[in-house]
């Protein structure tokens, strides 16, 4: 196993100990294989929820189009949906 010096999740997994031992490459790989699709699915759903909300409220969509500084708030609202 290579040394990991990053501050990302996988680097922390490589360095961490659990029940007196370290995770092996297969355990880390299996976790990543589970995590990445879940993250992709979450991002896709967030985008679709935000688009659905904006399309259902054309007046809000028009406001966001006219003032792009409103976009972060619209994304947060889509996330809460």
């Amino acid at each position: 196993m290579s040394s990991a010096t990053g501050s990302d999740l996988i680097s922390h997994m490589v360095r961490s100990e659990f029940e007196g031992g370290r995770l092996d490459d297969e355990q880390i790989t299996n976790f990543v294989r589970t995590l990445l699709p879940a993250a992709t699915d979450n991002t896709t759903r967030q985008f679709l929820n935000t688009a659905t909300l904006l399309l259902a409220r054309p007046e809000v969509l028009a406001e966001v189009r006219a003032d792009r500084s409103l976009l972060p708030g619209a994304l947060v609202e889509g996330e809460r949906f």
Side-chain angles (χ1 to χ4, degrees):
M1 193 175 302
S2 64
S3 73
T5 59
S7 61
D8 58 279
L9 176 62
I10 297 170
S11 296
H12 282 289
M13 289 177 65
V14 169
R15 290 191 307 265
S16 65
E17 291 188 19
F18 179 72
E19 295 181 354
R22 293 184 180 253
L23 298 172
D24 62 35
D25 288 346
E26 184 178 358
Q27 290 170 313
I28 294 171
T29 300
N30 289 338
F31 178 78
V32 171
R33 284 184 179 154
T34 302
L35 180 67
L36 290 179
T40 301
D41 183 60
N42 183 51
T43 302
T44 301
R45 288 178 188 271
Q46 180 183 354
F47 173 77
L48 292 174
N49 286 341
T50 302
T52 300
L53 289 170
L54 289 172
L55 291 172
R57 307 269 318 264
E59 69 282 2
V60 176
L61 178 58
E63 286 181 49
V64 173
R65 282 183 171 163
D67 182 358
R68 298 296 174 136
S69 70
L70 298 175
L71 186 57
L75 293 173
V76 169
E77 289 302 313
E79 195 173 353
R80 292 195 311 176
F81 180 76

